[in-house]
Amino acid sequence: MIKIGVKPVLLVAYSFLVFLLETYLGIGNWGIIGLYMITRRVGQNPCVPFYCVTSTWILAVAILIAPLIFGYLLLERYEALREHSKSHILFGLLLVPVGLCRTLNSGGLVTMLYFLSLATGLSYLLQRNYYEKHLPELALVGFTWFLITHALMLKPWAC
């Protein structure tokens, strides 16, 4: 029988909760979508979406980062989840604007991969003592934000 500790289950559950919350807020809530997306009529096309052209997109980023900060404040006293939630905040700060303001094309994908590698490197350097011993946890955070950023970049509801 395989014995799984409580800590890996909590980390996966927290990452899954972050994924659900961020994708719902980013692509499932029209109030937030209206902060970073506008549509205009261009030529014969009645609906052309534009992303992050008004100053309200910064408010959308703040709304998407707020649950991460709230989660960190709730989990700060638990050693097992503290570093993990710090990494989610760093990844969110770097990748939420990329996910909201870019679409999933070759340029957007390269930008996302660049910021994902930047967030991974920064997280490792800032929390080196922890991640030298727990590298799979950093991989879990990176994979979670890879999926979140892809979901934010898809924008299936644009028009």
Side-chain angles (χ1 to χ4, degrees):
M1 187 162 146
I2 298 174
K3 186 176 181 182
I4 298 175
V6 174
K7 183 180 176 185
V9 173
L10 289 175
L11 296 176
V12 170
Y14 182 75
S15 291
F16 185 68
L17 181 65
V18 167
F19 172 76
L20 289 177
L21 191 61
E22 294 295 313
T23 53
Y24 169 72
L25 290 176
I27 63 174
N29 188 321
W30 281 101
I32 297 172
I33 293 168
L35 294 173
Y36 69 88
M37 183 191 82
I38 59 170
T39 56
R40 299 267 195 261
R41 180 179 178 87
V42 176
Q44 298 295 338
N45 194 344
C47 179
V48 177
F50 294 96
Y51 305 102
C52 303
V53 293
T54 62
S55 60
T56 58
W57 75 272
I58 296 170
L59 183 59
V61 170
I63 291 170
L64 277 129
I65 298 298
L68 300 174
I69 294 171
F70 183 68
Y72 171 74
L73 294 174
L74 283 175
L75 301 172
E76 184 180 16
R77 68 181 82 129
Y78 302 110
E79 176 74 29
L81 293 172
R82 181 184 317 134
E83 303 300 323
H84 192 69
S85 60
K86 278 185 199 175
S87 294
H88 274 291
I89 291 172
L90 178 65
F91 275 75
L93 286 171
L94 290 173
L95 289 166
V96 164
V98 173
L100 295 182
C101 298
R102 303 292 300 219
T103 57
L104 192 58
N105 55 24
S106 59
L109 185 62
V110 169
T111 304
M112 190 253 324
L113 291 174
Y114 173 75
F115 277 95
L116 188 64
S117 63
L118 179 68
T120 305
L122 279 174
S123 189
Y124 183 81
L125 286 175
L126 292 173
Q127 302 169 10
R128 173 175 269 156
N129 293 335
Y130 182 77
Y131 282 129
E132 282 178 347
K133 299 173 189 157
H134 304 96
L135 197 58
E137 293 176 20
L138 183 60
L140 175 63
V141 175
F143 180 70
T144 302
W145 279 97
F146 179 78
L147 295 177
I148 291 169
T149 309
H150 264 84
L152 293 176
M153 292 173 97
L154 282 176
K155 299 173 179 59
W157 34 254
C159 286

